[in-house]
Amino acid sequence: MPSQQHPYQTLPIPNDAPFTLKPSGPSKGWGAFATRRISRGTVILRERPLFAIPKHHTAITSSDVLSALRTSSPTTQRQFQALRDHHATLPFPNPAKAFAENSFAIGTDTHSPAHGFFPLLSRFNHACLPNAAVPLLKDADAPALYATRDIAAGEEIAFSYDPRFESRTARERHASLGFACGCRACHPPGSRFQRASDLRRRLIRGLQFMVSGDDDGEERFHVIAEPEVRKQVAECRTPLSVLLVCNLLTQCLMEAEGILDDFEIGRLQPGATAMAKMLRRPENARIARFAMAQRTPNERLRVAFALYGRADEGDEEMAYTLRHIQGVS
Ligand SMILES: C[S@@+](CC[C@H](N)C(=O)[O-])C[C@H]1O[C@@H](n2cnc3c(N)ncnc32)[C@H](O)[C@@H]1O
């Protein structure tokens, strides 16, 4: 089918949107490409779901989708009919599959999950080293896609389909995606960058466990296996100084990986600032203040390493806070 007549060209892209839809590559189907330079932080697209199904995605059936479509407008129905499979060539085999590939979780309530149909947001391909992100929690009703770095005109715009991928190796990511991504962190397998990327992401997973005590519960994903360390983490007994270094090291690894965007900084940096302020022993507090006054994550880490393992009067307060957050008695 000539690309001029492709059904995706009937999708209503807002007039001022900085992207267009076109074929992305033989195995990737169509994708979204910048039509002008987009600066970091710009909202590329904000989209409201055309309809939503209040169920967990694994429970959504074709009849759920058909009954939602029956009560939808003709425009919504037309957009749903425009959907094509992953090569962007054939219609999907059934409505459930079409919905699964073109929907996002909406809302933040894990007890009442819902998925919405997003015909435009779903046109963006995945990248493990993305240049955009959809921070769903920011506005659950109308998720927005933000540029996480400057994007050149003509560049493909892609975001990571799963926030947990920052701590997953390429093999783990591909198993979960069901396709092999071709970004530098994935391809060619075994390249210097790709191997370093796997190592960084495994380290990030270990550090996340040290700070939050969470490594997805699945043993195959554990990086830190040492029982005494796991016990110390479970009992929230990790010294504040170690937690601070773990946080800063996570930021450094993410920066080296190219995934430390403004949302990640906004997620990690307040924790580092709070921990630095909780250190009460004067010598520790002085080093922490000096570390946090540095400009970059690397510089902050270099100074903060001097704190690693030091005991502090703030350790008890930190343990109390963590127990409260993690619901540990
Ligand atoms: C939501 S759709 C994205 C748009 C899709 N390319 C299209 O033409 O409609 C998701 C599907 O696109 C393909 N895809 C997305 N990112 C990819 C990537 N980095 N490499 C290969 N295929 C990708 C996969 O088949 C995936 O299931």
Side-chain angles (χ1 to χ4, degrees):
M1 183 186 296
S3 62
Q4 290 87 329
Q5 292 154 31
H6 195 282
Y8 288 162
Q9 291 185 310
T10 64
L11 293 175
I13 300 179
N15 282 339
D16 56 348
F19 68 89
T20 188
L21 301 176
K22 60 178 185 174
S24 168
S27 62
K28 278 166 94 177
W30 277 42
F33 292 77
T35 45
R36 55 178 186 262
R37 184 182 178 282
I38 305 172
S39 20
R40 177 176 182 155
T42 304
V43 174
I44 296 168
L45 171 69
R46 191 182 290 284
E47 190 177 31
R48 287 188 184 281
L50 291 191
F51 63 85
I53 299 179
K55 278 188 173 182
H56 190 267
H57 72 98
T58 52
I60 296 173
T61 62
S62 286
S63 44
D64 292 328
V65 179
L66 288 174
S67 44
L69 277 170
R70 242 173 260 127
T71 53
S72 300
S73 70
T75 317
T76 297
Q77 293 176 9
R78 264 198 305 278
Q79 292 190 41
F80 197 83
Q81 277 154 14
L83 300 176
R84 292 295 177 269
D85 69 358
H86 60 284
H87 293 306
T89 46
L90 299 172
F92 282 97
N94 59 61
K97 184 91 179 104
F99 185 77
E101 282 279 319
N102 293 276
S103 60
F104 286 84
I106 49 176
T108 52
D109 184 354
T110 46
H111 299 296
S112 44
H115 282 74
F117 170 48
F118 293 91
L120 282 179
L121 271 180
S122 304
R123 303 282 58 76
F124 290 77
N125 281 322
H126 163 87
C128 304
L129 294 175
N131 52 16
V134 183
L136 282 174
L137 296 183
K138 272 201 118 186
D139 182 352
D141 286 340
L145 178 74
Y146 291 80
T148 51
R149 59 169 173 75
D150 293 343
I151 302 173
E155 208 182 318
E156 177 159 10
I157 307 169
F159 64 94
S160 173
Y161 285 178
D162 188 334
R164 293 171 308 171
F165 285 177
E166 65 191 22
S167 63
R168 295 280 188 275
T169 61
R171 187 197 292 250
E172 290 160 355
R173 297 193 298 273
H174 296 171
S176 157
L177 285 166
F179 58 83
C181 171
C183 78
R184 210 155 74 98
C186 300
H187 194 81
S191 73
R192 208 179 151 135
F193 185 92
Q194 197 278 312
R195 280 183 292 134
S197 163
D198 275 359
L199 186 59
R200 278 191 287 266
R201 291 184 193 233
R202 280 181 68 76
L203 283 170
I204 290 170
R205 185 152 77 230
L207 293 164
Q208 282 174 347
F209 171 71
M210 291 298 293
V211 176
S212 70
D214 179 17
D215 50 4
D216 281 348
E218 280 185 63
E219 211 163 327
R220 68 197 167 105
F221 287 137
H222 292 177
V223 172
I224 300 199
E226 171 62 46
E228 187 43 47
V229 180
R230 293 189 70 84
K231 188 159 177 276
Q232 175 190 296
V233 171
E235 293 169 0
C236 303
R237 286 186 289 107
T238 313
L240 189 46
S241 61
V242 172
L243 294 174
L244 175 60
V245 169
C246 288
N247 178 308
L248 295 174
L249 183 52
T250 303
Q251 295 192 44
C252 289
L253 289 165
M254 288 185 131
E255 189 173 54
E257 183 68 4
I259 54 174
L260 186 68
D261 61 35
D262 293 340
F263 301 110
E264 293 293 355
I265 294 171
R267 187 174 68 81
L268 291 164
Q269 191 56 20
T273 307
M275 286 191 265
K277 285 191 179 144
M278 281 167 85
L279 287 160
R280 288 214 296 275
R281 199 165 286 187
E283 171 70 354
N284 294 349
R286 191 183 61 74
I287 298 171
R289 264 198 310 277
F290 185 52
M292 299 313 285
Q294 304 303 307
R295 252 179 349 104
T296 66
N298 272 314
E299 289 165 358
R300 289 195 277 276
L301 178 65
R302 225 177 16 238
V303 177
F305 255 133
L307 287 168
Y308 190 85
R310 288 188 184 216
D312 193 274
E313 285 71 23
D315 287 347
E316 231 351 273
E317 190 190 340
M318 186 68 207
Y320 177 82
T321 311
L322 282 178
R323 283 192 199 111
H324 183 72
I325 295 170
Q326 293 169 21
V328 178
S329 53

